[in-house]
Every structure is written in C-alpha cells, then in structure tokens.
Amino acid sequence: MSEYRFEAVSKQFEGETVLKNLTLTGQSESFLCVVGKSGVGKSTFLRMLGGFEPVGNGRIQIAGNLVEGPQKTCPMVFQSYEQLFPWLPIWENVAFPLRVKGEKKEARKAEAIQVLEAVGLKEDANKFPHQLSGGMKQRAALARAWIAEPKLLLMDEPFGGLDMMTRETLQSLLVDLWKARKWTVVFITHDLREAARLSTHLLILKEAGEWEWVENRLPWPRDPYSQELNDWVRQIQL
C-alpha cells in the first residue's frame, strides 16, 4: 500500500504562509498533479512528502508511517538532468538503485536492460548521458525510478524543459507505466493541460496557503487536444 496523508500541515517561509492547514489523502495507485502559480509551495509540498523538507505544523504519513526524513522507497524525478551520473553509462545509471542494494553486476545489468527496453532505450544502454537528448535522459531517469520499485513516485516538473512532441510522448509513456506498474504518483506541473491529461486528482495551491482538491473524471485514454479536456482545463481557476 502507498497511501499518503497530510494532516493539518502548515508551512511558512520567512513569515510568509505557503501551505495552510492542508489535509488530504492520496489513495494507492492514484495520480496527483499539483498545480499553481510560481511561489505558492508546489515544490515545498513535494519535498515535505519525500522527507527532504521538515514539516512546519501537522504531520505527513506514507503507508501509515510518519514521514520524519528522506524516504528511500519514494524516488524523485526532477526537471534537470543532473540526477544522472555523467561518468556512468546509461544502463549503470538505471541500475544504480540495485547497486546500492548490493546486487551483482550481471544481475543488475540484465534487469536494467529489460527496463530500458520498456522505455525505448535498449539500444542506447552503453551510451553516456552527454550522448542523449533531453527526452532520452528523462526516459533514463524514469527507468531508474522504475527499477527502484517505488512505493510512491515523486516528479518535480520532469517534462518542463522538453519540446511539445517529446513531452506528449513521455506523458503517454508515463501513463502506460503508471497503469501497468500500479504506482502512486505525485507530479508537479505548471501546465494545466498536462495535469488534465495525467491526473486522477488535482491539488491547486493558491496564494496565502489556500488550496483546492479536485477529482479528474475525464475518461481514458485522454486526447490532449479534445474538446472535453479543453473544457475541463478552462474550469480550473488558479
């Protein structure tokens, strides 16, 4: 189970409230997109959930356990590509969580190749990060998160720096993996269309710590240019 709970969580920076009395439950296998204007606390929300940022007031639980520090079972995928080690080939980057667990090289390489095949990078397994495009690097980052068998997958605007075609391709890939692997995902984005396409639920963070919780009932599969999706996006007030 990978349910997570925020219980009356509030957070301030230099006297300014960014989250106020945030109370919500994210069910296992849900896909939450967190949206809002710059500076309202989207990344703070994600860092607190992952245990990288202390909670101001209230508490956060994952699978019934109190979050009091970094969560090893909650990998995070960022927008930047700095998470990939430039001195390691792609397969070793992807297999790094298995290396930390102490798995032997042959076993972790075989598993990494299998995961890389699923994200379309099998033929690039021996290349180094500098030899890949931005979209390919994000595929590799997603593969590394996958191989870690995440309880909860945290993503901080992972597709924000990509061109539209690559972005939409990776959105489709992520949805397919989420459904197949039964992940629970929390995904930060500033793009409402992306949020509409990916989410089961939406957390809208607003100024002065205010927030709104919205369920996304759009049917699957979701065409990012459909009238139904466009109408849903227009109803969202940031």
Side-chain angles (χ1 to χ4, degrees):
M1 296 291 289
S2 50
E3 178 181 280
Y4 57 92
R5 294 176 58 85
F6 280 68
E7 300 177 1
V9 172
S10 297
K11 184 73 172 179
Q12 291 187 333
F13 282 119
E14 299 180 354
E16 182 177 348
T17 299
V18 291
L19 294 172
K20 183 171 65 177
N21 197 34
L22 181 61
T23 301
L24 59 86
T25 298
Q27 299 293 337
S28 294
E29 302 178 28
S30 62
F31 197 126
L32 175 67
C33 281
V34 184
V35 299
K37 297 178 181 178
S38 178
V40 296
K42 298 189 298 296
S43 292
T44 298
F45 172 92
L46 197 69
R47 290 197 302 270
M48 287 196 302
L49 181 55
F52 302 105
E53 177 80 30
V55 177
N57 294 296
R59 65 179 190 169
I60 301 171
Q61 295 184 69
I62 298 176
N65 299 312
L66 192 63
V67 175
E68 297 180 298
Q71 304 296 294
K72 294 180 180 179
T73 56
C74 302
M76 187 176 295
V77 180
F78 300 92
Q79 180 176 341
S80 73
Y81 310 126
E82 295 176 0
Q83 59 195 304
L84 297 178
F85 302 122
W87 59 88
L88 293 179
I90 293 304
W91 80 260
E92 287 202 62
N93 265 285
V94 169
F96 192 78
L98 305 181
R99 181 177 176 179
V100 172
K101 291 180 180 179
E103 287 196 20
K104 293 183 178 180
K105 184 175 181 179
E106 288 185 3
R108 66 177 188 261
K109 184 172 185 178
E111 190 168 347
I113 296 299
Q114 183 179 19
V115 173
L116 284 169
E117 183 175 17
V119 299
L121 288 178
K122 181 180 179 180
E123 302 303 317
D124 303 288
N126 291 313
K127 292 182 179 179
F128 289 83
H130 75 273
Q131 297 176 290
L132 302 186
S133 68
M136 294 167 76
K137 290 176 184 177
Q138 285 301 62
R139 286 174 185 262
L142 184 56
R144 185 163 73 181
W146 171 358
I147 211 169
E149 298 181 351
K151 178 184 296 183
L152 176 63
L153 179 58
L154 309 178
M155 310 188 78
D156 194 356
E157 297 197 49
F159 307 149
L162 305 175
D163 64 85
M164 185 178 297
M165 184 176 295
T166 302
R167 184 173 184 149
E168 291 179 358
T169 298
L170 288 181
Q171 287 171 357
S172 297
L173 174 62
L174 177 57
V175 167
D176 289 344
L177 289 174
W178 163 65
K179 290 180 175 180
R181 306 298 295 185
K182 301 186 183 303
W183 290 335
T184 303
V185 179
V186 178
F187 186 105
I188 306 296
T189 181
H190 63 274
D191 185 334
L192 285 176
R193 189 179 300 279
E194 181 171 64
R197 189 181 186 196
L198 297 177
S199 67
T200 60
H201 297 80
L202 204 64
L203 175 62
I204 306 169
L205 298 182
K206 303 184 179 183
E207 295 179 354
E210 300 296 328
W211 55 276
E212 182 181 359
W213 177 263
V214 178
E215 185 174 0
N216 185 351
R217 296 179 178 273
L218 290 173
W220 302 95
R222 294 173 181 169
D223 179 349
Y225 301 104
S226 70
Q227 187 63 48
E228 189 174 19
L229 188 142
N230 288 333
D231 290 342
W232 193 85
V233 168
R234 280 195 289 269
Q235 296 174 19
I236 302 301
Q237 299 295 320
L238 298 183

